[in-house]
Amino acid sequence: MKAALDLRQTQRLTMTPQLQQAIRLLQMNTAEFSAALIDAHETNPLLEMEDPEGRSEAIPEEGYAGLEFMDELRGSFNEDWVSRRAGTASPASALSDGVDRIPAHAADASLHESLEEQLCLLALEPMQKFLADHIIRNLNDAGYLEAGLETILDEVRHDLEPGTRISMSDMEAALSRVQSLDPIGIGARTPGECLLLQLSALDPEVPGLETARNLVKSHLPLLARRDLQALRRKLAVDHGELREAIELVRHLSPHPGYSVGDVSVNYVTPDVLVERRRGGWAARLNTAALPRVMINQDYQHLVTENAGKESFSRLNSQLKDARWLLSNIEKRHDTILSVAARIVANQQAFFEHGPAAMKPMTMREIAETLDIHESTVSRAVNGKYMLTPLGTFELRYFFSTEVGAGNGHQSSSVAIRALIRELVEAESPAKPISDMKICEALRSRGFEIARRTVAKYREQMNIPPSGRRKSLLGAPGS
C-alpha cells in the first residue's frame, strides 16, 4: 500500500465555549438560570450581584386571577378528594356527637408537631407515649401510616433495652391512641380506614350513616365506578338512602393531614408579563424575578491597567468570562422577549376572549418571522412562563396544531379543547352529552371534527366518558 498526502476542503461547525454557554443559558428555566448566575458570582471575583428582593416590579393588580385551565372536570370523586387541602373542615366538626375535642393548632405548626402536642395532653404511661411517638413519626403529610405495625415494632425493639417485652397488641393500642387525635382520620393505613374513622366520629343519628359505613367498608370500587344500580343492589337500599350515604362520603376528607400545617407548594415565577397597551396587548420581561449581575468597576479598572502582567493573567481571563456571560445574558433576554412578543402579537384574540379564540401557531412560523432557527425558539419557550390577565401559562401552551373548520379557515386544537370543556361544563349532571353530541355541536359552529378526535381531546383533558360523568346525585333512574 502506497502512502500519499490527500488534501480535502470541508466545512464544519465548531461550537465555541461562548456559544455553548449561550445555548445552555437560553434553555434554562428561571430557577436554573438564577442558580447559574449565583454560581457564576461565587466563582468569579469580578462579578457582583444585586439581589432581586431589593427591587420591585410593577405588576398590574387588576384582572390577574389564576385561570385553572388545566384542572380536571369538576364533580368527579377523585378530583374532589385530591383537591382538598389545608383549611378543609371535616364533617365531624359540623356533625359531632357533642364530645369536646382538642382544638386544631395554628397553621404554622406541622402535622407531626400538632400530634405530639396533643399526645402530651393525654394521660399516658411512658411506654404508651413512646410507642405512639414512633407511630406519629411514620405518618406521611396526608396523615397515613405508611409503614406496617410489624416494621415499627422491629424499630421499637431495636431502640429499647434488651429484654423489654413489647407485643403487637401494644402497638395496636398505641395506634388507636394516635387515631383518636385531631384531625379525625389520622393514622389510617388505607383510604377506606381513613373514611371509616371519620364516619365513626359522627352522631349515630345522622341519616344514612350505617349505609355509608357499609359502602366504605365493602363497596368503594363500585362507588369509584359510579355504578349506582350495583350499589343499591349490594346495599339493599333505595335511591334516597343511597343518596344520603353518598352525600356523607363526599364530605369526608381522604387526606386529613393536609388540614394541619403548611403544605409545600411549588410556585411558578413568570418570565414574561403581558399588559394591555394602546392598540392591543404587549409583552415585557419580568426582570425583577432575576438577580442582576454586573462587573465590579474597580476590579475591571485594575485588571485593565495591568493586563500585560503575568500575575494578572488569571484575573484577565475571568474578566473576559464575565463579559461573555453578560453578553449571553443580554442575548437570552432579547431572544425570550422577541419570541414572547411574537406570540402575543399572533394571539391577540386569545387575550381578549380566552382559550376558545386561540389561533393555530407553530414554532417554525415564529422562527421564520424572527429569522432564527426553530431549535432556538424551542429553547426560548422551554420552561418559560407568561403571566397574563387570564392566568399563568407556559409559552409552549400557545403552540398548537391546526384543525379544519367548515368555513375554510383553520382553528387551533387548544380552541377546540376549550369549546369541548365549555360544552361539558354546561351539560346536565343527570344527562351528560356523548362524544357524538359534542361532535355535532362543534360542527354546528363550523368545525369539521371527527368523533374520535373529540374523544382524544376529551381524554387529554382528563374528562371521563359521558357514562362516568353521570352525577352520583342524579335522578333515581340514573
Side-chain angles (χ1 to χ4, degrees), residues 9 15 28 41 89 93 110-111 139 167 224 248 281 317 356 366 369 406 410:
Q9 191 175 30
M15 294 184 64
M28 289 180 179
H41 169 250
S93 60
S110 70
L111 171 65
L139 299 180
S167 66
L248 277 181
W281 297 89
S317 175
I366 299 295
T369 304
Q410 297 295 320

Side-chain angles (χ1 to χ4, degrees), residues 265-286:
V265 179
N266 295 322
Y267 294 97
V268 170
T269 302
D271 303 83
V272 180
L273 307 176
V274 177
E275 304 170 327
R276 181 187 289 277
R277 295 179 184 173
R278 185 176 303 174
W281 297 89
R284 64 182 175 90
L285 284 177
N286 182 20

Side-chain angles (χ1 to χ4, degrees), residues 101-102 111-112 114-122 124 132 136 139 174-187:
R101 302 187 63 84
I102 300 172
L111 171 65
H112 297 82
S114 173
L115 296 176
E116 291 285 356
E117 291 176 9
Q118 295 179 57
L119 202 61
C120 292
L121 300 178
L122 300 180
L124 299 178
I136 289 175
L139 299 180
L175 176 60
S176 179
R177 288 288 188 178
V178 172
Q179 291 178 344
S180 70
L181 304 177
D182 276 342
I184 303 172
I186 218 74

Side-chain angles (χ1 to χ4, degrees), residues 3 62 65 87 188 200 211 227 245 273 374 387 396 462:
E62 70 280 357
S200 299
T211 302
D227 194 341
L273 307 176
E374 187 176 347
L387 178 63
R396 286 185 179 274
N462 296 319

